[in-house]
Amino acid sequence: MAQQSGSGGSSSGGSQSSGSEATHYWQQLLENTREWATGYFGLPGWVLTIILVVLLVLLFDLVCAFLLGRLERRLNKSPRRWDDALLHALRGPLRLWLWLGGLCAILALVAQGFDIAGITSYASLIFGVSTLAIIFWVEVRLMQRLEQRLVFPPAHSSAKPVDQTSASAVTKIVGALTLIVVLLLGLQMLGVSVSSLLAVGGAGGILIGFAARDVMANFFGGMVVHLDKPFQVGHWIRSPDREIEGVVEDIGWRLTRIRTFAGPPIYVPNAAFSRITIETPSRMQARLLWENVGIRYQDAGAIESITTDIRQMLDQDNEINSDELITVTFSRYGDYSLNLMIYALSSVTDWQRYNETRQRILLSVRDIIYRHGAELALPASRVYVPDEVRLSNGVGQDDLESEEDSRQDSDPQNSRSGTRSRARKKDKGQSAPFDTEQNSESDGDA
């Protein structure tokens, strides 16, 4: 054990000595460079070092701009999705990182030249935190470009396109994980104990969870929508439970934006999709054509030939799925019509084209009915009147009434009494309008 510890100590001491030797070598080289620059140019060494740093950063910047520009133009023609996206993400942030490193080095050299204590540590801290921020910026740019490449692959690529919802889910999840890692590393650089923070966060997370339970519910609801994919961006959805219908424009982590057909958008919390039923008409494979057509009762003899011709017409129609069930039958006796049921599935799913197809089929059904000498039924009533109907005491009745009317017109004071007497005479002298012949004869005998 002692020998092992001794060997371990010797190895650690050897590594420390090699590290100190390398540091001593670079420090000696820097001092020699400063002395040479001071003797040759007559300027302080730290000033010449700053000028050298600026020139090196400028040179590296120009080289990076030239090489990355030419490489990006070549990779734009690449069939792969990620290479040009990675280069696009690195091009701007890398140049910024070079200048940021040069500025931090200049700041440290100025602090050493003027013997200002503590500036070097602050400069290194600023450079480390800025490097983490630039890494996160690179990740954001990479995910944005990669999302476009996933949805729209290069023209000469054999890769299959990924739907917008899946691509957005991947980029958002990777972005969230990267942000968490960058924040934890940044806090550790600033001297915050990450382990203590996680321990405190476990207890505080419970309180935050109760306070922001709706936000967390919407967050996990959005994650479920991204993973299960009940609908995607661009789909037409509707809910029979709520008044929600429109086209999905965006699926966020908290809200989903749906553009209604009337124009204004609606914003639905993602947690609501776990409690309601969602229909996705955009995913339908066929549209149902189910109609009831009524013909007259007089055309009952033509029902079989009419239904046969309608069935043949639907079988020959290119926009009707003949592989599925097609039913044309006499369904029931209606109040004023004989009802025919037409049931078929249309292969047209577009709403506008479906309505045009439906109109064409209904007009064809009308032509078939007319071709067989039948007609479409209309709501109508028929009154049957007995053949032997006559009015009793009809002869001379009109003359008496006209005479009485003339007398009443000459005597306006007795108009009301005359009207009553005329009514009584009508009741006595005229029988019911639909008296049968037998009743009329009995009245005459009396």
Side-chain angles (χ1 to χ4, degrees), residues 235-293:
H235 278 181
W236 165 25
I237 66 170
R238 64 186 173 203
S239 173
D241 302 333
R242 303 280 185 89
E243 294 182 359
I244 299 174
E245 184 172 8
V247 178
V248 179
E249 289 189 339
D250 181 64
I251 304 174
W253 287 114
R254 194 177 69 88
L255 296 173
T256 295
R257 185 175 71 250
I258 301 172
R259 178 72 60 176
T260 60
F261 295 116
I266 57 176
Y267 298 88
V268 183
N270 291 329
F273 294 116
S274 61
R275 299 189 298 268
I276 62 177
T277 303
I278 294 295
E279 297 178 358
T280 310
S282 299
R283 289 177 173 171
M284 68 173 62
Q285 299 178 355
R287 280 185 179 270
L288 178 62
L289 178 68
W290 191 354
E291 300 292 338
N292 288 297
V293 180

Side-chain angles (χ1 to χ4, degrees), residues 320-370:
I320 297 297
N321 193 350
S322 58
D323 296 334
E324 298 292 338
L325 177 65
I326 298 178
T327 302
V328 183
T329 57
F330 169 51
S331 59
R332 70 185 184 92
Y333 294 97
D335 295 335
Y336 56 88
S337 64
L338 302 174
N339 294 336
L340 306 180
M341 182 185 70
I342 301 173
Y343 180 94
L345 290 176
S346 173
S347 58
V348 177
T349 57
D350 181 70
W351 185 77
Q352 180 65 26
R353 286 188 55 202
Y354 166 76
N355 283 299
E356 295 173 356
T357 303
R358 179 184 178 190
Q359 171 182 300
R360 179 175 52 78
I361 290 174
L362 291 178
L363 293 178
S364 299
V365 170
R366 178 205 61 184
D367 296 338
I368 292 172
I369 292 174
Y370 287 168

Side-chain angles (χ1 to χ4, degrees), residues 73-346:
R73 285 192 295 270
R74 295 190 61 180
L75 291 180
N76 284 333
K77 303 177 182 179
S78 173
R80 291 180 294 273
R81 290 172 168 173
W82 57 270
D83 47 5
D84 61 329
L86 181 60
L87 190 61
H88 169 76
L90 285 174
R91 186 176 179 182
L94 181 59
R95 297 177 64 185
L96 178 62
W97 181 75
L98 288 174
W99 283 104
L100 185 63
L103 291 176
C104 291
I106 291 172
L107 183 62
L109 291 173
V110 171
Q112 289 181 1
F114 288 97
D115 295 331
I116 302 175
I119 298 297
T120 304
S121 60
Y122 284 113
S124 61
L125 180 61
I126 292 173
F127 180 70
V129 174
S130 302
T131 301
L132 291 177
I134 289 175
I135 290 174
F136 180 71
W137 184 26
V138 170
E139 188 273 336
V140 171
R141 287 168 59 90
L142 176 61
M143 290 299 107
Q144 289 178 351
R145 178 59 67 91
L146 192 59
E147 181 177 353
Q148 296 177 0
R149 290 301 189 194
L150 289 174
V151 179
F152 305 104
H156 41 280
S157 174
S158 60
K160 295 182 179 180
V162 180
D163 59 273
Q164 180 68 36
T165 305
S166 300
S168 178
V170 170
T171 55
K172 287 178 179 177
I173 291 174
V174 173
L177 294 177
T178 306
L179 179 61
I180 293 173
V181 172
V182 167
L183 288 177
L184 292 177
L185 292 177
L187 292 175
Q188 189 172 5
M189 284 186 178
L190 295 174
V192 179
S193 177
V194 178
S195 58
S196 302
L197 183 63
L198 293 176
V200 174
I206 300 176
L207 300 177
I208 295 174
F210 279 110
R213 58 183 181 273
D214 293 336
V215 176
M216 298 302 295
N218 292 327
F219 174 79
F220 287 108
M223 184 178 295
V224 170
V225 169
H226 282 296
L227 295 177
D228 291 345
K229 301 178 185 177
F231 52 84
Q232 299 175 4
V233 175
H235 278 181
W236 165 25
I237 66 170
R238 64 186 173 203
S239 173
D241 302 333
R242 303 280 185 89
E243 294 182 359
I244 299 174
E245 184 172 8
V247 178
V248 179
E249 289 189 339
D250 181 64
I251 304 174
W253 287 114
R254 194 177 69 88
L255 296 173
T256 295
R257 185 175 71 250
I258 301 172
R259 178 72 60 176
T260 60
F261 295 116
I266 57 176
Y267 298 88
V268 183
N270 291 329
F273 294 116
S274 61
R275 299 189 298 268
I276 62 177
T277 303
I278 294 295
E279 297 178 358
T280 310
S282 299
R283 289 177 173 171
M284 68 173 62
Q285 299 178 355
R287 280 185 179 270
L288 178 62
L289 178 68
W290 191 354
E291 300 292 338
N292 288 297
V293 180
I295 62 175
R296 302 177 306 176
Y297 272 87
Q298 295 93 316
D299 305 322
I303 287 180
E304 293 184 358
S305 57
I306 290 174
T307 54
T308 302
D309 289 351
I310 293 175
R311 172 63 184 267
Q312 292 178 357
M313 181 267 295
L314 293 175
D315 282 334
Q316 297 172 1
D317 196 297
N318 294 328
E319 295 182 343
I320 297 297
N321 193 350
S322 58
D323 296 334
E324 298 292 338
L325 177 65
I326 298 178
T327 302
V328 183
T329 57
F330 169 51
S331 59
R332 70 185 184 92
Y333 294 97
D335 295 335
Y336 56 88
S337 64
L338 302 174
N339 294 336
L340 306 180
M341 182 185 70
I342 301 173
Y343 180 94
L345 290 176
S346 173

